[in-house]
Amino acid sequence: MAIHDWPAQERPRERLLAHGPRALSDAELLALFLGSGTRGRDAVQTARDLLGTHGPLRRLLDLPAAQLARLPGLGPARSCALMAGMELAQRHLAARLQQGECVGQSVAVAARYLQHRLRGRPNEVFVALFLDNQHRLLACEELFHGTVNAASIHPREVVRRALALNAVAVIVSHNHPSGNAEPSRSDREATNALQRALALVDVRLLDHLVVGEGPPVSFAERGWLPEPGAAS
């Protein structure tokens, strides 16, 4: 049975319009991109097949565009649409940062942006978000690139960029390609050194977010970023 023959309340498009995108499963959201299925299978069945063979969803969407284009039910046009949708989502989150939506103690918008940008990268990448005095985004820069399990952090370079951009606050992040976001001892030591170096030029380190599978780990939420000189 084709999707247009389903009861209206069960069709993905109608359900999205009535209840919003969060009401749909991964397969249903993917089916809306596909538009139609492969021979003998509707779009939702085709999406389920893709997720069953190449999923879960994040793993499927982390595939290079050329590889996506070769999968049944996708092809060049649909794979390009998926890649464009993901890029739009990342730019939307960046725009929210530029509008100052990470003001205050919550860095949820920054966490979502960095998770989207870093998760799935094959090597460790260290990123810094430089913020103005209203915590609006001045620049997002990938400062250091490493191996599958390490990336060296050079505080002097982060300080240099902060001064060049006239930033008053910084959020940093790096990924763990293993998927285990638990910070290592060296992560904590490097972050402490970075916080001290930034404090010397009156720049505040708001958070260090480690990206892996699941939610990023926040140094600030764990209480690992006390003000320099504060009693421990």
Side-chain angles (χ1 to χ4, degrees):
M1 180 186 296
I3 289 178
H4 61 74
D5 294 323
W6 293 11
Q9 68 272 18
E10 296 180 11
R11 299 174 199 162
R13 184 177 291 115
E14 282 73 8
R15 290 182 57 228
L16 185 149
L17 291 173
H19 306 291
R22 293 183 181 274
L24 273 61
S25 67
D26 290 349
E28 290 170 325
L29 289 170
L30 183 56
L32 289 177
F33 263 100
L34 298 180
S36 61
T38 53
R39 180 174 299 179
R41 304 184 74 75
D42 62 41
V44 173
Q45 290 172 322
T46 300
R48 288 173 180 158
D49 291 343
L50 285 168
L51 292 170
T53 304
H54 304 283
L57 182 64
R58 185 187 67 79
R59 185 175 299 168
L60 174 68
L61 297 183
D62 280 343
L63 294 174
Q67 189 172 344
L68 278 174
R70 295 192 294 268
L71 299 183
L74 282 172
R78 290 168 176 170
S79 62
C80 286
L82 278 173
M83 295 296 98
M86 293 176 64
E87 180 63 22
L88 282 171
Q90 182 167 324
R91 294 186 187 189
H92 171 65
L93 290 171
R96 292 179 65 184
L97 284 173
Q98 290 167 348
Q99 293 166 5
E101 292 196 27
C102 66
V103 172
Q105 304 205 352
S106 172
V107 291
V109 175
R112 288 196 297 273
Y113 171 75
L114 291 163
Q115 183 180 37
H116 186 90
R117 180 169 181 144
L118 293 177
R119 197 169 61 181
R121 300 283 285 268
N123 298 322
E124 285 201 8
V125 180
F126 181 89
V127 173
L129 303 180
F130 298 96
L131 310 175
D132 67 11
N133 59 0
Q134 296 184 44
H135 293 180
R136 293 174 301 200
L137 184 66
L138 295 170
C140 173
E141 298 185 0
E142 294 186 5
L143 294 179
F144 313 118
H145 295 79
T147 64
V148 295
N149 58 10
S152 298
I153 299 173
H154 303 286
R156 179 181 296 179
E157 178 63 16
V158 182
V159 170
R160 185 184 72 81
R161 292 302 300 146
L163 291 173
L165 293 162
N166 199 29
V168 302
V170 178
I171 296 172
V172 299
S173 179
H174 78 283
N175 62 311
H176 283 176
S178 68
N180 180 6
E182 187 62 29
S184 66
R185 180 176 178 179
S186 62
D187 288 339
R188 295 188 63 176
E189 292 173 347
T191 303
N192 290 338
L194 176 59
Q195 184 185 27
R196 291 193 297 269
L198 288 168
L200 291 174
V201 293
D202 293 324
V203 176
R204 184 182 175 195
L205 181 61
L206 294 180
D207 208 345
H208 185 169
L209 298 158
V210 183
V211 174
E213 298 291 345
V217 173
S218 163
F219 275 53
E221 287 182 359
R222 293 197 176 184
W224 292 347
L225 290 176
E227 292 296 328
S232 57

